[in-house]
Amino acid sequence: MTYAPLDQVCAVAGLDSNSARLLHSRANAVFHLPQAHAVVRLRQTGGSGEWKRRLSLAVEMTRWLHHHGFPTVTPLPVQQPITVGEWTATFWTYIAVDEQSVAPSSSDLGALLRALHELPAPPVDLLATNPLGSLLADLSRSDLTLPVGQHDWLREQGRRLLAEYESAALPLGQGMIHGDAHPGNLLASGGRYLMIDWDSISYGPRAQDLVPTLMGVLRFGRPPANWVALCDAYGVDPGIQDDSGVLLLCRARELRSLAAYLRAADHPGVRAELDKRLSSLMDGINERWRPI
């Protein structure tokens, strides 16, 4: 396929993009380059220095994790990340997925998170996690997509949550975290599961890595057994879900989830889901959400 930003970053990296195939497009557009046995993760960063630092850390830290035997994707041996205009790319070794593999479970995720959190401190200074991700930045660029009431409410809620987060007592301590840990970020290869998508690797509350599974139960109707299985594999009491710090992180995850919908709010289906999520949060309704 032909896609100008992809062609440009691949040219800088010395890779042929002519046979590129789009795998999926969310926060990143992810492409497979069959001839190079590579995957390109392309993100519109607007030239942000912070994003370049974050993506540099993703590359550096996955090399370190691989050296320590942690099952992870590995970056290609090229100078990266590469920024061209508004776009920044990272390049990764393509993983051939086991076709007969069983879908990763919450137990598989819990075991990997426990192993990740037990590793020694890395030799680099990780950036502090932002519990809201890119929400407030995306909101500042999306003033015209939301009614004033929704926009102002969301901005104020984000600011209040960050202020509360600064002084909150959060369980499980602080350390290196993946930042977006869910079974969808595990791939089966060579008889084991590898963890992928390290754009949010950072220093923060370890409990933050457990929250996406809890949110799957609370907001998306997934079986409560998923949460219990994750906690059992990780080695923590499932009752931690009632901890005030975990509840705060859940609220942050709810708000953070809106960022991708703000970026794509011109799509009718996306806008409908964004409106539903915002309405349920503003009205305090525990309504079922649907991923898009």
Side-chain angles (χ1 to χ4, degrees):
M1 66 176 297
T2 299
Y3 183 55
L6 175 67
D7 296 339
Q8 291 165 357
V9 296
C10 285
V12 175
L15 300 174
D16 184 355
S17 61
N18 287 330
S19 58
R21 179 171 65 92
L22 180 66
L23 298 178
H24 63 80
S25 181
R26 296 187 184 93
N28 294 273
V30 181
F31 298 89
H32 178 207
L33 305 182
Q35 294 180 350
H37 303 289
V39 167
V40 184
R41 292 172 57 83
L42 187 62
R43 188 179 188 109
Q44 191 169 17
T45 59
S48 164
E50 179 182 353
W51 264 111
K52 186 173 182 179
R53 173 62 175 149
R54 289 191 178 279
L55 296 177
S56 296
L57 281 170
V59 171
E60 184 176 1
M61 286 305 305
T62 47
R63 288 177 178 147
W64 182 83
L65 289 166
H66 179 69
H67 176 74
H68 279 73
F70 187 84
T72 176
V73 291
T74 53
L76 285 187
V78 298
Q79 189 68 33
Q80 55 170 316
I82 291 172
T83 298
V84 177
E86 295 279 308
W87 300 86
T88 302
T90 52
F91 302 82
W92 305 85
T93 302
Y94 176 73
I95 297 172
V97 178
D98 297 338
E99 294 184 1
Q100 304 301 320
S101 63
V102 177
S105 68
S106 297
S107 293
D108 298 316
L109 177 62
L112 282 176
L113 288 176
R114 179 171 183 168
L116 177 69
H117 293 171
E118 289 178 347
L119 285 171
V124 298
D125 291 330
L126 294 172
L127 294 175
T129 192
N130 183 339
L132 295 181
S134 63
L135 174 66
L136 295 180
D138 288 324
L139 184 62
S140 70
R141 293 190 292 265
S142 304
D143 290 355
L144 299 179
T145 69
L146 291 177
V148 173
Q150 288 184 339
H151 179 274
D152 290 350
W153 181 89
L154 187 52
R155 181 179 57 188
E156 182 60 23
Q157 287 298 308
R159 290 175 175 173
R160 287 183 181 181
L161 189 140
L162 289 177
E164 189 176 346
Y165 175 83
E166 287 299 318
S167 59
L170 301 171
L172 305 181
Q174 305 266 334
M176 175 175 58
I177 63 172
H178 178 274
D180 191 24
H182 55 81
N185 276 335
L186 304 184
L187 288 182
S189 181
R192 62 177 183 166
Y193 293 105
L194 306 180
M195 190 167 277
I196 66 172
D197 189 357
W198 293 91
D199 290 2
S200 298
I201 189 169
S202 52
Y203 181 88
R206 296 185 181 95
Q208 186 171 321
D209 274 346
L210 308 187
V211 161
T213 299
L214 181 57
M215 288 298 301
V217 176
L218 299 178
R219 279 294 186 186
F220 296 96
R222 293 173 187 142
N226 287 4
W227 171 246
V228 175
L230 175 87
C231 291
D232 286 348
Y234 185 86
V236 66
D237 187 334
I240 196 175
Q241 72 180 75
D242 297 321
D243 181 273
S244 61
V246 170
L247 294 175
L248 175 67
L249 294 174
C250 284
R251 285 167 43 211
R253 183 79 183 182
E254 287 178 327
L255 293 176
R256 177 177 178 160
S257 77
L258 304 179
Y261 293 84
L262 286 168
R263 292 192 296 269
D266 55 344
H267 188 284
V270 172
R271 182 54 185 265
E273 179 66 16
L274 173 61
D275 286 340
K276 181 172 72 173
R277 293 191 183 194
L278 267 171
S279 295
S280 64
L281 291 171
M282 293 174 73
D283 296 338
I285 300 172
N286 189 21
E287 186 173 7
R288 182 77 55 84
W289 291 356
R290 181 173 64 89
I292 294 179

